Amino acid sequence: MTATDLNPTRRSSVLRMAGGGIHFDGVKAVDGVTIEVRSGEVLGLIGPNGSGKTSTLNLLSGMLKASAGSISIDDQDITRLSMRQRARRGVVRTFQSGRVFGRLTVWENVEAAALGGGLRRPAARALTAEIIEELGLEPVAHDLAQQLTAGRVRTAAIARALATGPRFLLLDEPAAGQNESEAVELITAIRGFAQRRDCGVLLVEHDMSVVMGTCDRLHVLDSGRTVVEGEPATVRSDPRVIEIYFGKRH
Amino acid sequence: MKNQNRLVAAVSTPAILIGLVLVVALIGAYGDVTTARVATLALVSVVFVVGLSVFSGNSGVMSFGHVAFMAAGAYTTAYLTIPVPLKKSLFSDLPGWLSWLADVHTSFPVALLAGAVVAGVVGLVTAPVVARLSGLQSGIATLAMLMVTYNVLNSWTEVTRGSSSMIGIPRGTTAWWAFAVAALAVVVAWGYRCSRGGLQLRASREDFWAAEAAGIAVGRHRAIAWVISAMLCGVAGALYAGYLTSFNVNGFFLAATFSFVVMIVLGGYLSLSGAVVGALAVSALQEVLRRFQDGQFTGGSALPAGVADLIVAGVLLVVLVKAPYGLMGVRELRLPGSRRRAAEPAPEAEREPAHAG
């Protein structure tokens, strides 16, 4: 893979989980969920706490092994591939807590991921410089990641994911802890970045107002099952969504 | 200018460390007999601990089995350099398929290389296990490797002389040989650390799952570091044998393991400087304590045996509590003003995190 592979001349593709399920101690965390992320779009995965959002992301990324269903990229089955093998095929995730490499510098965090994505050294360095500049991380590029503020940790985690060369970027609450306008700003930036690279984004988020303006489609989960999927405006006016999302909680 | 600064930053740490071992080598070359012995063996320890740090420092996985690689290097050197006539009488019962061993003879430098190669082969054989394990499992597995090696060396009497000492190895190691190998070890370890594999392994040290999620082949990089590390420790064993001219299997067991672990932990296992500083500092401390125990500072009245070890263990405990990552932590010794950061444009003061792309 070379740096040019990250540029948007690829044909569009689809990351798909069909009837995916997993249970923990008999409790079905995800139960027959079918979900598709298409390149170039931002899909919001929303639902109340405990609805199975992060488990779905874990299934797609390979952190968890599905006990039912299959996962594929286009026609290629990736159900049995490890998280690392999926990352090499462009399915790249972030973690809710960031999980940056604490005692490496921000630059090293990003470069390690670029190398992990399969780039040679010079290409990895060039990509690292590009991403660090694009996400405004230059001032802290040579600070240890463990010294960063919470906001910068989130940005560094996203920078690292971008460096791996994602075709599908799975973001677990990337804006957690930020206020609504900061969250929208961050997600808009991710959106622009992903579209320039023709990358599909799955955005796990529990705050409905954040995803309304930033996502192309929304997929709503409740108790591990799909409630509805569609355009944000349609989803918001769906009575079932109002019931579980607004009705009970407000 | 920027490139020049980056170059200075890249070579500054190994340069300082080589300078440090050079000072020790000078003491070894020109000091009195006892001092020379302490200094040379300190350099052998530097080679070993630097070798160990290639694996443990970059992967974050502690190994208690590396002394087995040292043994591989030492026994290889013994076999290759003991004069053939003596060897024939020492190993009169060699099994037929190994009888050729009695006739081989090489120079000391070749034995050094062979020690690295043999230890490297042992490393290759054990690497698949190490690649799959982390944390406590890895600690136990490496300890098991040490036990297996020790028991084989101790029991396979016809080939290893068992618990009898290996004798008659010509003195090949000088302070300068030890210096040259220590300097080379520093260069190899620093080179690996900065390499693409080293960077990815250090990332996995910080967070295994996040590294896997970034596509990093953690197991493969652990295995590569393990083999490089094994080779350096093998050379340390060859130097050790070539300096002492005789050794015993008990020299490659728990006491040695503990001593090296104290060095790397006290210096700081995350940093190459920590490995070098730890090896030198603990060597010096052990010598001072030995003299203390022998009564050199107390007017000749010797202290009970074991006092020195007790104090070393006490120092380790204090360091573990006060500075869990050792004297150096994640820091490296650098020339003043050569931090990477100096090569970068000054950060805009108080700039807010800009997420916009």
Side-chain angles (χ1 to χ4, degrees), chain B residues 183-194:
Chain B
L184 184 71
V186 165
V187 170
V188 169
W190 187 253
Y192 175 74
R193 186 185 173 78
C194 300

Side-chain angles (χ1 to χ4, degrees), chain B residues 129-311:
Chain B
V129 178
V130 174
R132 283 173 176 76
L133 301 177
S134 297
L136 183 62
Q137 288 90 337
S138 189
I140 300 290
T142 53
L143 196 57
M145 181 183 93
L146 178 67
M147 296 291 184
V148 170
T149 311
Y150 175 79
N151 282 304
V152 168
L153 293 174
N154 200 21
S155 314
W156 200 13
T157 315
E158 313 89 85
V159 179
T160 63
R161 290 179 54 76
S163 56
S164 312
S165 289
M166 195 68 102
I167 54 168
I169 306 156
R171 166 73 64 95
T173 305
T174 60
W176 293 117
W177 264 114
F179 163 72
V181 176
L184 184 71
V186 165
V187 170
V188 169
W190 187 253
Y192 175 74
R193 186 185 173 78
C194 300
S195 73
R196 58 198 298 266
L199 176 56
Q200 291 177 80
L201 190 58
R202 280 186 289 138
S204 80
R205 171 189 82 196
E206 296 302 310
D207 191 320
F208 179 89
W209 287 110
E212 289 268 319
I216 294 172
V218 179
R220 189 179 56 185
H221 290 299
R222 274 191 190 162
I224 292 169
W226 176 259
V227 174
I228 297 173
S229 171
M231 293 179 79
L232 290 175
C233 291
V235 187
L239 282 175
Y240 177 82
Y243 187 71
L244 293 183
T245 72
S246 72
F247 61 81
N248 185 280
V249 65
N250 292 316
F252 305 108
F253 202 40
L254 295 174
T257 300
F258 181 71
S259 173
F260 291 128
V261 167
V262 170
M263 289 177 185
I264 196 167
V265 169
L266 198 134
Y269 76 102
L270 296 172
S271 129
L272 181 60
S273 308
V276 174
V277 170
L280 294 178
V282 173
S283 296
L285 177 69
Q286 283 170 334
E287 177 60 15
V288 169
L289 290 176
R290 187 188 64 78
R291 293 185 186 194
F292 180 61
Q293 186 175 295
D294 290 351
Q296 284 194 24
F297 308 132
T298 48
S301 56
L303 292 166
V307 167
D309 289 341
L310 212 64
I311 295 176

Side-chain angles (χ1 to χ4, degrees), chain A residues 99 119 121 134-135 143 155, chain B residues 194 196 207 341 354-356:
Chain A
R99 297 185 77 156
L119 295 184
R121 203 80 194 254
E134 195 158 0
L135 294 184
D143 291 354
T155 314
Chain B
C194 300
R196 58 198 298 266
D207 191 320
R341 194 164 192 164
H355 298 301

Side-chain angles (χ1 to χ4, degrees), chain A residues 94-244:
Chain A
T94 62
F95 297 89
Q96 225 171 80
S97 49
R99 297 185 77 156
V100 288
F101 304 132
R103 290 170 298 191
L104 300 189
T105 65
V106 172
W107 176 283
E108 287 172 325
N109 265 267
V110 179
E111 191 184 343
L115 293 169
L119 295 184
R120 308 297 305 173
R121 203 80 194 254
R125 287 198 174 122
L127 181 64
T128 301
E130 186 186 320
I131 289 172
I132 282 187
E133 193 194 337
E134 195 158 0
L135 294 184
L137 286 168
E138 301 108 312
V140 293
H142 297 287
D143 291 354
L144 295 184
Q146 66 186 10
Q147 299 166 337
L148 300 179
T149 61
R152 282 247 164 85
V153 166
R154 275 190 289 276
T155 314
I158 291 164
R160 191 175 66 187
L162 292 172
T164 311
R167 293 160 69 197
F168 300 97
L169 192 55
L170 316 178
L171 302 172
D172 197 357
E173 303 211 11
Q178 283 174 309
N179 67 37
E180 191 182 320
S181 69
E182 286 170 336
V184 168
E185 187 192 355
L186 174 63
I187 293 165
T188 307
I190 294 167
R191 187 190 172 84
F193 205 103
Q195 278 176 344
R196 277 195 292 287
R197 287 164 172 77
D198 203 26
C199 170
V201 177
L202 178 80
L203 180 72
V204 169
E205 179 59 62
H206 68 264
D207 188 344
M208 186 74 147
S209 50
V210 170
V211 294
M212 285 308 297
T214 50
C215 293
D216 300 300
R217 290 188 302 132
L218 296 180
H219 189 113
V220 186
L221 289 180
D222 188 31
S223 308
R225 290 166 190 255
T226 301
V227 176
V228 65
E229 189 189 287
E231 305 216 332
T234 326
V235 167
R236 185 160 59 172
S237 53
D238 190 290
R240 289 164 297 178
V241 175
I242 294 169
E243 162 84 18
I244 59 164

